[in-house]
């Protein structure tokens, strides 16, 4: 009996130590681990830099790592963060389902995990999720195309034509991006006023592994060849794209096929990457969702502050995001969209870019 009591007491002491480790007295000298997928895409390079800058301004030591879009590298980097004693991890995952084992270790050690922009799946270690309203992203993109293609007034006798692209199948966000867009567009497809000539409408058919520009370009080239799209060929009114890296591949293929700004199909996007904003200005991309990463980074800093003080972070969604272990308390920032008509006010006047960045 004494041995059993001793084991119980030991367990209680360990639990108390883990709880204390993320309680009110964590020193700001304890590093905050920030894990980003890659530096190769402007989006993640900028997100990481924003996060590090804001956390350091708030007085924290930051351990920022980029994983070169390699799952094994990201796993190893997170393992090292845990070993070094980082007590809060902010993670934008490469593959939302690949981090369960390493995060199980984080949970055992009392480390708090904030999933950043991409929900981490099937892990009880995830404490909070900070992102933009990704379903709203999709509906904004879909409604933009509804307006531009005049779908509310079209008839089956004069349908608009479209092809569909989304992102990487291992990114949970595409369920919201593509799902939101299709919730808007599918009624028009079903009624025959919007036609997908290739017949490729499922998420699996439209996915683009790793959000790759090259993969998207190759698929668009295949569609052009198989369907006969071209300025003097079969009509193509629009291409739905969930983000900018995919949109860039689509645009490259269409330019190579002879399309010009005067007859370019409407292409959607997301992230307002500099090259894509330049394409909007010259007429080879119609719009891009603007997700101000400064806003998202600031929200994460406030979450970190709350956790450091033993408080509950501010959240505004407790229904939407189930990672397979239950609903993850989330904070959703609002997206807006940029076009050639408002990009200057939205991106330059706000200080997100300089005018020189977009020349």
């Amino acid at each position: 009996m004494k041995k059993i009591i001793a084991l119980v007491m030991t367990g209680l002491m360990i639990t108390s130590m883990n709880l204390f480790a993320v309680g009110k007295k964590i020193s700001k000298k304890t590093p905050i681990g920030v894990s980003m997928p890659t530096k190769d895409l402007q989006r993640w390079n900028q997100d990481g830099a924003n996060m590090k800058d804001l956390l350091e301004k708030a007085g924290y030591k930051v351990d920022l790592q980029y994983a070169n879009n390699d799952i094994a590298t990201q796993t190893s980097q997170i393992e090292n963060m845990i070993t070094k004693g980082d007590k809060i991890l902010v993670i934008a995952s490469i593959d939302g389902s690949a981090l369960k084992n390493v995060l199980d270790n984080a949970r055992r050690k009392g480390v708090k995990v904030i999933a950043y922009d991409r929900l981490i799946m099937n892990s009880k270690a995830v404490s909070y999720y900070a992102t933009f309203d990704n379903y709203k992203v999709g509906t904004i993109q879909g409604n933009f195309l509804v307006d531009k293609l005049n779908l509310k007034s079209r008839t089956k006798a004069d349908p608009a034509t479209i092809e569909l692209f989304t992102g990487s199948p291992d990114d949970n966000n595409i369920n919201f991006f593509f799902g939101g867009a299709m919730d808007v567009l599918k009624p028009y497809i079903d009624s025959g006023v919007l036609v997908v000539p290739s017949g490729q409408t499922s998420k699996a058919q439209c996915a683009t592994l790793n959000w790759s520009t090259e993969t998207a370009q190759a698929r668009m080239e295949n569609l052009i060849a198989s369907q006969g799209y071209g300025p003097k060929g079969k009509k193509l009114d629009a291409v739905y794209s969930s983000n900018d890296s995919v949109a860039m591949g689509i645009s490259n293929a269409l330019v190579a096929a002879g399309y010009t700004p005067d007859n370019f199909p409407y292409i959607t996007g997301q992230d307002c990457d500099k090259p894509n904003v330049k394409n909007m200005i010259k007429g080879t991309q119609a719009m891009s969702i603007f997700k101000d990463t400064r806003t998202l980074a600031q929200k994460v800093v406030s979450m970190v502050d709350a956790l450091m003080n033993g408080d509950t972070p501010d959240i505004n969604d407790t229904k939407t995001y189930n990672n397979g272990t239950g609903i993850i308390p989330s904070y959703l920032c609002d997206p807006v969209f940029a076009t050639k008509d408002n990009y200057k006010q939205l991106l330059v006047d706000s200080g997100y870019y300089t005018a020189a960045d977009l020349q």
Side-chain angles (χ1 to χ4, degrees), residues 286-325:
M287 65 88 82
S288 183
I289 298 291
F290 178 48
K291 296 160 70 171
D292 192 335
T293 54
R294 297 169 298 183
T295 301
L296 188 57
Q298 188 61 63
K299 178 49 62 177
V300 171
V301 172
S302 72
M303 285 183 166
V304 169
D305 279 335
L307 290 171
M308 283 289 197
N309 293 323
D311 298 328
T312 300
D314 182 31
I315 57 174
N316 61 8
D317 186 284
T318 57
K319 297 179 180 179
T320 305
Y321 291 94
N322 189 325
N323 79 338
T325 68

Side-chain angles (χ1 to χ4, degrees), residues 55-243:
L55 283 168
E56 287 179 342
K57 285 179 178 176
Y60 296 105
K61 183 177 179 181
V62 181
D63 181 8
L64 170 62
Q65 299 290 329
Y66 293 91
N68 198 31
N69 256 346
D70 181 75
I71 296 168
T73 299
Q74 185 167 50
T75 300
S76 176
Q77 288 173 343
I78 292 170
E79 285 176 344
N80 289 337
M81 290 173 179
I82 297 167
T83 300
K84 287 187 297 184
D86 296 5
K87 293 304 178 185
I88 298 176
L89 301 179
V90 180
I91 301 172
S93 62
I94 297 168
D95 182 337
S97 299
L99 298 177
K100 181 181 183 304
N101 290 340
V102 66
L103 293 185
D104 282 348
N105 185 35
R107 185 167 181 255
R108 284 191 294 270
K109 295 190 175 183
V111 177
K112 295 292 186 183
V113 175
I114 300 171
Y116 181 90
D117 197 60
R118 294 175 172 178
L119 184 59
I120 298 168
M121 304 302 292
N122 304 314
S123 173
K124 292 182 179 180
V126 181
S127 303
Y128 296 96
Y129 180 35
T131 188
F132 285 84
D133 188 333
N134 293 322
Y135 180 78
K136 188 173 182 179
V137 168
T139 61
I140 290 172
Q141 292 169 327
N143 282 315
F144 177 88
L145 292 173
V146 168
D147 291 341
K148 289 298 182 181
L149 298 174
N150 197 27
L151 295 184
K152 292 179 181 179
S153 301
R154 293 189 93 111
T155 66
K156 291 174 65 175
D158 179 31
T161 55
I162 192 171
E163 294 291 349
L164 308 168
F165 285 68
T166 191
S168 197
D170 54 12
D171 185 346
N172 184 64
N173 281 348
I174 73 167
N175 296 313
F176 296 93
F177 300 148
F178 191 67
M182 290 303 286
D183 281 351
V184 172
L185 297 176
K186 191 173 184 300
Y188 297 100
I189 295 172
D190 291 344
S191 69
V193 302
L194 181 63
V195 175
V196 184
S198 70
Q200 297 175 13
T201 60
S202 73
K203 183 175 64 177
Q205 290 172 314
C206 301
T208 308
L209 188 62
N210 294 327
W211 299 89
S212 165
T213 294
E214 293 74 20
T215 300
Q217 183 170 340
R219 179 171 170 243
M220 190 68 236
E221 288 169 349
N222 287 336
L223 288 170
I224 290 168
S226 64
Q227 297 298 318
Y229 294 130
K232 298 181 181 179
K234 184 187 289 187
K235 181 182 69 163
L236 179 63
D237 294 307
V239 185
Y240 168 76
S241 169
S242 287
N243 93 325

Side-chain angles (χ1 to χ4, degrees), residues 251-262:
S251 178
N252 290 344
L254 291 171
V255 168
Y259 286 94
T260 67
D262 291 334

